[in-house]
Amino acid sequence: MGGMSASRSRATARTSARRTIGLLVPLAAAALVVAGCNSSSGSQTPTDVATVTPASASPAPPGVPRTPAGVTVPTPAGSASPALSDGRLAVIGPGGTAVLRFDESAMTAAASATPGALPTATYVATPALTHLVGTGDGGFIGVGPGHVVRIGPDGQVRSDVLRTENPSALARTPDGRTLVGTENGHVLVLDRDLAQQRDIAGFVRVDDITVSPPGADLPGEQVVVLDRAQSSVTPVDLGNGDLGPALRAGNGATNSAVDHNGRVLVANTRDDEIVGFFGSPLVMRFRYPVSDGPYAVDYDDARNLLWVSTTGNNEVVAYDLATGEPAEKHRFAAVAQPDAIVVDDASGTVFVLSARDGGIQVVTTAAQTGGALVPPTATGAAPTSATTAPATTGAAR
């Protein structure tokens, strides 16, 4: 979502940090005293829970960044919310009133060993959007103040009313429902036709939503909400609107991803770590140090790699979680302020969007490893013991 060597001092610091941090923490410390609430539209956002100042991305170093790995396809500064959908990559343009669609194969070809011409985008005019998600058929769904938009594979746009002026998160379920988070702590559940089914309250904010994929090692579908104002993750039942226990994710959780096993992987930007959760009920499984402000996260299910951007040094790092303990596998120089990343499971290509200068960085598996292709690994296997049961050992933090 080119490899490069870190400086000796940075490598030493990372090694020292890994020797001194415990991967598992007492589960009681993870629990927040946040009561679950029912999901009717009359439910109220809690006002009596402990909150933190919501964390944001660490600022990138000033000046010209190091040469990014792979190639960078130009997009206007201010582009946001990259999303993949059946061979297309799209971003929201500056101001939110257009979606830029790229052919993913053309982007990958431009980043190959014999690069071709840089691809150009097809512009689709839309109402003002803030978030975008792929629908899996080459189309996309976007949300903005008061509206939800479906962009068909043919570029046709249909807009419907959205009952919020402040959408803050967007996700899709395998059965085609759309989940919209709001800045005032609601999850709106939309059916396949984008009509609202349910309004689930009970959060301070909703900043990210993960949905477990089919085949996850869980008894059923698990939807988890990340709330930056509580630095927490909370399971929510879309059927009845009930909230599960909220679990603390450090002091500055920002973004999350889910893997094929159903593990929820969170960037705790303020504390320089990634935090892993798994199970039903959801339980914290590990905390692992990642320096320089981990922020954007995505998971390559085919190669079992968690990709994390570190905005404080303009890098992107891949971790293998096969044993339950993160192990660094790849690292490359990124575009300036790499606030968003998406990974194509089929090809392993990583796409990184610059929040400062614009531009989508395209890094193929060969560029990630200095020329060697990275084949997919077996997927669908049961999680290791590190994910199925909490360990009881580990160095003290």
Side-chain angles (χ1 to χ4, degrees):
M1 211 186 245
M4 59 163 290
S5 298
S7 68
R8 180 175 299 175
S9 61
R10 186 181 298 116
T12 302
R14 284 199 302 268
T15 301
S16 176
R18 291 190 178 115
R19 289 173 176 167
T20 59
I21 191 162
L23 294 180
L24 275 297
V25 298
L27 300 181
L32 288 172
V33 185
V34 179
C37 70
N38 229 327
S39 74
S40 67
S41 58
S43 298
Q44 299 299 312
T45 299
T47 58
D48 58 349
V49 298
T51 60
V52 299
T53 301
S56 57
S58 300
V64 178
R66 290 168 295 166
T67 302
V71 301
T72 301
V73 176
T75 63
S79 299
S81 195
L84 293 169
S85 182
D86 191 31
R88 285 198 178 103
L89 182 140
V91 298
I92 299 172
T97 55
V99 168
L100 287 64
R101 299 188 304 167
F102 293 89
D103 181 276
E104 188 183 336
S105 62
M107 300 180 84
T108 302
S112 68
T114 55
L118 293 179
T120 56
T122 300
Y123 281 68
V124 178
T126 63
L129 301 178
T130 56
H131 295 77
L132 195 67
V133 67
T135 56
D137 60 356
F140 299 88
I141 288 176
V143 292
H147 49 259
V148 55
V149 171
R150 185 190 301 275
I151 303 170
D154 58 359
Q156 294 297 307
V157 175
R158 191 192 94 190
S159 181
D160 291 282
V161 173
L162 183 67
R163 298 180 195 171
T164 181
E165 295 296 318
N166 55 1
S168 54
L170 183 62
R172 291 259 294 169
T173 65
D175 65 3
R177 288 174 292 174
T178 298
L179 310 180
V180 182
T182 74
E183 289 181 1
N184 61 345
H186 292 244
V187 175
L188 308 182
V189 183
L190 312 183
D191 65 17
R192 294 174 62 91
D193 294 322
L194 302 181
Q196 183 169 309
Q197 289 182 320
R198 186 180 291 277
D199 179 350
I200 303 173
F203 306 97
V204 178
R205 298 165 51 104
V206 176
D207 295 284
D208 209 352
I209 305 170
T210 58
V211 182
S212 63
D217 193 36
L218 295 165
E221 181 178 85
Q222 186 179 71
V223 176
V224 177
V225 167
L226 185 150
D227 181 340
R228 292 187 185 184
Q230 298 184 76
S231 190
S232 67
V233 291
T234 305
V236 56
D237 187 322
L238 299 184
N240 58 26
D242 288 345
L243 307 188
L247 301 180
R248 191 68 179 252
N251 297 300
T254 51
N255 294 299
S256 57
V258 64
D259 73 358
H260 58 275
N261 291 317
R263 287 181 292 192
V264 178
L265 307 160
V266 175
N268 175 13
T269 303
R270 183 168 288 137
D271 297 331
D272 277 338
E273 65 183 9
I274 51 176
V275 188
F277 299 86
F278 178 74
S280 181
L282 196 64
V283 175
M284 180 187 286
R285 300 298 182 175
F286 68 79
R287 299 175 71 171
Y288 190 79
V290 177
S291 59
D292 296 299
Y295 189 69
V297 289
D298 201 8
Y299 199 85
D300 181 346
D301 281 308
R303 293 156 189 81
N304 288 303
L305 294 174
L306 171 66
W307 287 95
V308 183
S309 76
T310 52
T311 60
N313 64 353
N314 290 332
E315 290 185 351
V316 173
V317 192
Y319 295 95
D320 183 347
L321 302 184
T323 66
E325 175 181 340
E328 182 177 325
K329 289 297 182 181
H330 311 299
R331 178 181 291 265
F332 60 78
V335 289
Q337 199 65 51
D339 282 8
I341 57 177
V342 290
V343 185
D344 181 353
D345 291 345
S347 65
T349 300
V350 180
F351 300 90
V352 188
L353 181 63
S354 170
R356 190 180 78 183
D357 304 327
I360 301 171
Q361 180 183 8
V362 185
V363 186
T364 63
T365 58
Q368 296 159 17
T369 59
L373 296 176
V374 182
T377 58
T379 59
T384 66
S385 60
T387 59
T388 57
T392 57
T393 60
R397 184 175 182 182

